Amino acid sequence: MRHFNPFTRLALGLLALSCLLSACVSGPHEFQAKELERWSQEMMKSSFRDEKSVKVSILAQDASNAECSDAQSTGRVLSEERRQEIEAQNLKTVRPPQDGQYFGDFKLGEALAQDGRGLTWSDALGQANGGQCYNCHQLSAQELSYGTLGPSLLQYGKIRGITDLQSPSAKGVVEYTWAKLWNSKSFNACSAMPRYGHHGILNESQIKHLMSLLLDPRSPVNQ
Ligand code: HEC
């Protein structure tokens, strides 16, 4: 397919995929899903190229992502034991803040939660990414337009009894929340939430601002 331009290759790939779909309707479900996955991976790899911060290598999933995708596409349910192993592996990747300070500025956290910029080929290289939390979560009572893929985080800190961020009794919630933002698979093997710290989508100081947004009693989340 080397001689075709990217659009022709994409069209050919889609055509091949639809032929495969119609040819395999009577085949075993698992075989069909695996073949489809292989074809679509090949099609994606041959149809796209690196462009600024978007790299074709992103298609190569890490082991835990690959296992979750495979389970989902074949309808297989991961055993509780396997889920716990995946979570333990991901928890090991969590890096606590280097200076031991978990919090930043909740106002900057709110701006980050609203900001859906970043990770596309049209973004300038080196520009900081947004957090796009509102795409999946409710975070303040004022916001009318938010996604519902994730649970509402309204009063996240208040519900968990956080009145003083530095109090020893807040430690468990603080460490859980940091780990969730750093690598969401630490507590849910097949989480649909981006792994912000693990994949370098957000840096340490941005995660601190989001920690304040979620836990600071003065933040709009906790009103
Ligand atoms: C693509 C959707 C998506 C995005 C974007 C997203 N999340 Fe999530 N989030 C989820 C889902 C789904 C869950 C629940 C399942 C799970 O725990 O993985 C969740 C769970 C959470 C939890 C745990 C809630 C609890 O009660 O334990 C926190 C905290 C959280 N998200 C914060 C954030 C923040 C802050 C951002 C932005 C930086 C964000 N999320 C962006 C989908 C998303």
Side-chain angles (χ1 to χ4, degrees):
M1 297 226 275
R2 197 172 303 153
H3 306 297
F4 297 118
N5 71 34
F7 293 105
T8 316
R9 271 188 271 159
L10 189 62
L12 282 172
L14 284 172
L15 185 68
L17 199 64
S18 62
C19 292
L20 186 78
L21 264 174
S22 53
C24 288
V25 276
S26 55
H29 181 248
E30 190 155 334
F31 167 80
Q32 192 181 334
K34 286 231 163 78
E35 272 302 283
L36 270 178
E37 177 61 23
R38 195 175 61 74
W39 276 62
S40 59
Q41 284 286 329
E42 273 173 19
M43 183 188 82
M44 299 281 276
K45 276 186 199 140
S46 62
S47 306
F48 293 93
R49 57 178 155 66
D50 289 355
E51 186 76 44
K52 290 196 194 153
S53 64
V54 183
K55 309 281 185 234
V56 178
S57 58
I58 193 110
L59 291 169
Q61 296 176 307
D62 70 12
S64 50
N65 247 352
E67 193 165 343
C68 291
S69 304
D70 180 63
Q72 202 169 28
S73 62
T74 56
R76 187 166 57 87
V77 178
L78 287 188
S79 68
E80 193 44 43
E81 196 191 356
R82 195 58 206 126
R83 290 183 71 88
Q84 282 174 11
E85 281 165 11
I86 292 177
E87 288 164 14
Q89 278 161 7
N90 280 277
L91 188 59
K92 275 197 208 136
T93 72
V94 175
R95 206 179 67 208
Q98 273 162 356
D99 59 1
Q101 175 51 255
Y102 283 86
F103 296 100
D105 177 337
F106 68 81
K107 293 194 188 99
L108 295 178
E110 170 64 16
L112 270 171
Q114 294 277 3
D115 186 350
R117 239 178 2 186
L119 301 175
T120 77
W121 63 267
S122 56
D123 288 305
L125 265 181
Q127 178 186 293
N129 299 314
Q132 59 163 322
C133 318
Y134 275 102
N135 277 350
C136 295
H137 295 285
Q138 178 185 31
L139 283 143
S140 84
Q142 279 71 42
E143 179 56 58
L144 299 175
S145 167
Y146 54 85
T148 53
L149 191 68
S152 170
L153 299 175
L154 201 55
Q155 304 203 324
Y156 180 86
K158 197 174 184 179
I159 291 168
R160 287 161 180 78
I162 308 294
T163 49
D164 173 3
L165 296 177
Q166 306 302 336
S167 150
S169 62
K171 195 169 179 270
V173 173
V174 169
E175 287 176 0
Y176 161 76
T177 309
W178 181 272
K180 187 76 197 167
L181 297 184
W182 193 274
N183 185 340
S184 55
K185 281 169 170 277
S186 302
F187 304 101
N188 179 0
C190 296
S191 176
M193 177 166 149
R195 294 187 275 173
Y196 288 101
H198 183 57
H199 283 313
I201 301 169
L202 297 178
N203 61 35
E204 208 180 90
S205 79
Q206 289 177 305
I207 297 181
K208 290 183 184 187
H209 299 322
L210 290 162
M211 288 288 288
S212 294
L213 175 70
L214 292 170
L215 294 167
D216 193 314
R218 297 163 301 170
S219 144
V221 165
N222 294 313
Q223 302 318 305

